[in-house]
Amino acid sequence: MQTDSCSYNCNNCPNCRISVFSDLKSDDMNLLNDEKTIIKLNKGQILFQQDTRPHGLYCIKKGKVKVFKTGSEGKEQIVRLANDADVVGYRSLLANDNYQCGATAIEETTLCFVPKETLNKLLQENISLYKKMITLLTEDLKEAETKISDLAQKPVRERVAETLLILKDKYGFEADGQTLNVVLSREEIANLVGTATESLIRILSDFKKEGLIELQNKKIKLLNTSKIFSTAHLYD
Amino acid sequence: MQTDSCSYNCNNCPNCRISVFSDLKSDDMNLLNDEKTIIKLNKGQILFQQDTRPHGLYCIKKGKVKVFKTGSEGKEQIVRLANDADVVGYRSLLANDNYQCGATAIEETTLCFVPKETLNKLLQENISLYKKMITLLTEDLKEAETKISDLAQKPVRERVAETLLILKDKYGFEADGQTLNVVLSREEIANLVGTATESLIRILSDFKKEGLIELQNKKIKLLNTSKIFSTAHLYD
DNA sequence: GTTTTGACCTGATTAAGGTCATAGTTTGAA
DNA sequence: TTCAAACTATGACCTTAATCAGGTCAAAAC
């Protein structure tokens, strides 16, 4: 984990305009800028590990991160994905808990580490920051509850379709307007869906036969989004 | 839904000493007391329905409530249970969303309705109330993420054992120190576990044969908590 | 007091999806 | 450029748990 003190200025960071820190006034922005640290992760590098103690939160400048719980048999369940301008590791920090999940970069990622003390200083002065945190939490909780009900009620095929749409919403398409702009292994997608890798592969190849998607190594092209949508049975 | 303006005073309410409103100063407590409404629900009565608009939050004075999502085929997935002093319906309110879940009393329940406007007034003056809300949200999110990983990775049998322990933690025992102090139908327990009613019944009767529990109509007695715990594989 | 209703339980069957084994591909490091 | 390691894919098999059907029981309604 390379750390590199302050080669970037938060005041110029486009993410800070939209992230949880968007409403900070100039003084506070400078504080944030002074006390943050820049971290660079290569693909596969660990950001933080489950059951360890948080010392701050991470704001993604550029890159992609998976947040996952490791279960009994060492199998990972991905509970969230993060993209540019997303904040990770804040739940455990706010709760004063150990991390319930681990986090790993799924591609080369640059992020800012904001120490706990800095965040607390900022929170003291900014009720708007509390509101932003609450917004993050309510969004995550909503998604989590949807996921619970899907896992309990939907068959794997529907969950795979839904996952493809979630990936689309989270990371968007490449320039061609069809290829998902994220690279995950089959195992990782399976861990997101909550199924066995083989089952996921089978269903992806079904989708391919049915003309819903096209596969080129790890790249997935969505050919018929509306049909994928109806396969996911999102509004029954 | 009977409403009954102000037969109770928040200042004397033992729950307000431990609930999310515990840190309010006297003025604010009076405001809360003046603007709240008392609601009484019989077993099975609806507190709020999925996809409707929230107008406030509910603080349980005495009783038990289930919070659930209704899926495709009308099957309920219970996502949370609430007990005395718990607050329900606050996520959607804070997020300015429609309710993602419905809520229904599982026994006779008395609760206070706190209108949105009152809550907003209180929030403006009390940063500690923001902190309390954040605490609630982080707790719920933690539980939700655990549930996601359990649903994806654990077999039904383990989840049933775990659910019995969750019920114990949430509602405790009756005077005998063994009987779960909550009455749920088999279907409701199944909706909590995320399985079919028949599967739940079979596993309960397995547990009975194995001497883990005793069943007397809807009452469930935990005979061997530590063996139930190991059956749940909580720390593998 | 009988009927009805609804919840609980059990057995048989089946479908979904997990596991195992193996072969083919891709990838990246030497 | 090559080769090993890691990932992807597919077939065969097996386990789990869902579904279906039928039966018991107790309480409520008539």
Side-chain angles (χ1 to χ4, degrees):
Chain A
M1 196 147 95
Q2 281 178 34
T3 72
D4 167 4
S5 70
C6 271
S7 16
Y8 298 101
N9 188 318
C10 298
N11 291 292
N12 304 328
C13 174
N15 291 337
C16 283
R17 308 246 164 282
I18 57 169
S19 81
V20 76
F21 298 115
S22 61
D23 286 349
L24 295 188
K25 42 190 191 313
S26 174
D27 275 7
D28 286 332
M29 205 55 130
N30 287 329
L31 179 76
L32 180 64
N33 188 42
D34 289 346
E35 301 193 351
K36 72 159 199 307
T37 324
I38 304 282
I39 295 173
K40 283 201 176 201
L41 296 178
N42 294 322
K43 178 177 174 159
Q45 280 192 298
I46 293 168
L47 182 57
F48 53 78
Q49 274 187 309
Q50 196 170 324
D51 298 319
T52 63
R53 166 159 282 283
H55 298 291
L57 58 73
Y58 301 89
C59 185
I60 300 180
K61 188 166 169 58
K62 177 130 196 53
K64 299 178 175 61
V65 168
K66 64 174 173 180
V67 178
F68 56 93
K69 272 182 98 79
T70 306
S72 335
E73 278 88 35
K75 200 184 162 193
E76 294 177 0
Q77 175 63 34
I78 298 181
V79 298
R80 204 165 336 148
L81 289 169
N83 197 7
D84 299 358
D86 285 339
V87 172
V88 266
Y90 68 97
R91 194 215 64 86
S92 302
L93 188 74
L94 289 172
N96 230 342
D97 262 347
N98 279 356
Y99 286 120
Q100 297 303 308
C101 296
T104 298
I106 57 177
E107 64 178 43
E108 193 176 69
T109 297
T110 307
L111 26 75
C112 292
F113 171 75
V114 181
K116 184 175 180 162
E117 296 72 30
T118 310
L119 184 71
N120 285 337
K121 273 186 259 177
L122 292 172
L123 278 170
Q124 266 171 22
E125 321 253 299
N126 292 278
I127 220 169
S128 83
L129 195 49
Y130 275 105
K131 287 186 194 168
K132 295 265 181 178
M133 290 291 167
I134 285 179
T135 302
L136 286 186
L137 285 164
T138 57
E139 285 169 359
D140 284 351
L141 186 56
K142 178 176 173 176
E143 280 174 27
E145 288 176 351
T146 302
K147 191 145 196 170
I148 287 170
S149 133
D150 287 348
L151 278 167
Q153 306 203 349
K154 287 189 178 179
V156 175
R157 187 182 150 90
E158 294 181 20
R159 302 210 305 273
V160 172
E162 192 173 356
T163 299
L164 293 175
L165 296 173
I166 289 172
L167 289 174
K168 186 203 86 182
D169 289 342
K170 188 81 208 172
Y171 296 119
F173 290 131
E174 294 185 356
D176 67 358
Q178 292 197 304
T179 304
L180 288 177
N181 187 27
V182 57
V183 173
L184 293 165
S185 69
R186 299 294 189 259
E187 187 181 7
E188 283 172 318
I189 301 175
N191 292 343
L192 195 50
V193 172
T195 189
T197 307
E198 294 93 327
S199 299
L200 172 91
I201 288 173
R202 267 182 252 276
I203 287 167
L204 283 185
S205 84
D206 289 348
F207 283 0
K208 186 176 159 186
K209 279 175 207 146
E210 296 166 29
L212 300 182
I213 62 172
E214 203 169 279
L215 298 169
Q216 207 155 30
N217 301 331
K218 306 215 170 177
K219 290 287 181 183
I220 299 172
K221 196 181 276 194
L222 308 192
L223 298 178
N224 191 335
T225 311
S226 65
K227 215 167 161 200
I228 295 173
F229 186 85
S230 63
T231 302
H233 282 130
L234 284 176
Y235 297 122
D236 295 350
Chain B
M1 196 146 93
Q2 280 177 35
T3 73
D4 167 5
S5 70
C6 272
S7 17
Y8 297 101
N9 188 318
C10 297
N11 291 292
N12 304 328
C13 173
N15 292 337
C16 283
R17 307 247 166 281
I18 56 170
S19 80
V20 75
F21 298 115
S22 61
D23 286 348
L24 295 187
K25 41 191 193 311
S26 174
D27 276 5
D28 285 332
M29 204 56 128
N30 287 330
L31 179 75
L32 180 63
N33 189 42
D34 290 346
E35 302 194 349
K36 72 160 200 305
T37 323
I38 305 283
I39 295 173
K40 283 201 177 203
L41 295 179
N42 293 321
K43 179 176 173 157
Q45 280 192 299
I46 293 169
L47 181 57
F48 52 78
Q49 275 187 306
Q50 195 169 326
D51 299 320
T52 63
R53 166 157 283 283
H55 298 292
L57 56 74
Y58 302 89
C59 185
I60 300 179
K61 188 165 170 58
K62 175 128 195 56
K64 298 179 175 61
V65 168
K66 64 174 174 179
V67 178
F68 57 92
K69 271 181 99 81
T70 307
S72 336
E73 278 88 36
K75 201 183 162 195
E76 294 178 1
Q77 174 63 35
I78 298 181
V79 299
R80 204 165 336 148
L81 290 168
N83 198 6
D84 300 357
D86 284 340
V87 171
V88 269
Y90 69 98
R91 194 215 64 86
S92 301
L93 188 73
L94 289 172
N96 230 340
D97 262 347
N98 278 357
Y99 286 121
Q100 297 302 308
C101 297
T104 298
I106 56 177
E107 64 177 45
E108 195 177 68
T109 298
T110 307
L111 27 74
C112 294
F113 170 75
V114 180
K116 184 175 180 163
E117 296 71 29
T118 310
L119 184 72
N120 285 337
K121 274 187 256 178
L122 292 172
L123 279 169
Q124 266 172 22
E125 320 252 299
N126 293 278
I127 220 169
S128 83
L129 195 50
Y130 275 105
K131 287 186 195 168
K132 296 266 181 179
M133 290 291 168
I134 285 179
T135 303
L136 287 186
L137 285 164
T138 57
E139 284 169 1
D140 284 351
L141 186 56
K142 178 176 171 176
E143 279 173 28
E145 287 176 351
T146 302
K147 190 143 197 169
I148 287 170
S149 133
D150 286 348
L151 278 167
Q153 305 204 350
K154 288 189 179 181
V156 175
R157 187 182 151 89
E158 293 182 22
R159 301 208 306 271
V160 172
E162 192 172 355
T163 299
L164 293 176
L165 297 174
I166 289 172
L167 289 174
K168 187 203 85 184
D169 289 342
K170 188 81 207 173
Y171 297 118
F173 291 130
E174 293 183 358
D176 67 357
Q178 291 196 306
T179 305
L180 287 177
N181 187 27
V182 59
V183 173
L184 293 165
S185 68
R186 299 292 189 259
E187 187 180 6
E188 284 173 318
I189 302 176
N191 292 343
L192 195 50
V193 172
T195 189
T197 307
E198 295 94 327
S199 299
L200 172 92
I201 289 174
R202 267 182 253 276
I203 287 168
L204 283 185
S205 87
D206 289 348
F207 283 1
K208 188 176 160 186
K209 280 175 206 145
E210 296 166 28
L212 300 183
I213 62 173
E214 204 169 279
L215 298 169
Q216 209 156 27
N217 302 329
K218 306 215 172 179
K219 290 288 182 182
I220 300 173
K221 196 182 276 194
L222 308 192
L223 298 177
N224 190 335
T225 311
S226 65
K227 214 167 160 198
I228 296 173
F229 186 86
S230 63
T231 302
H233 283 130
L234 283 177
Y235 297 122
D236 294 349

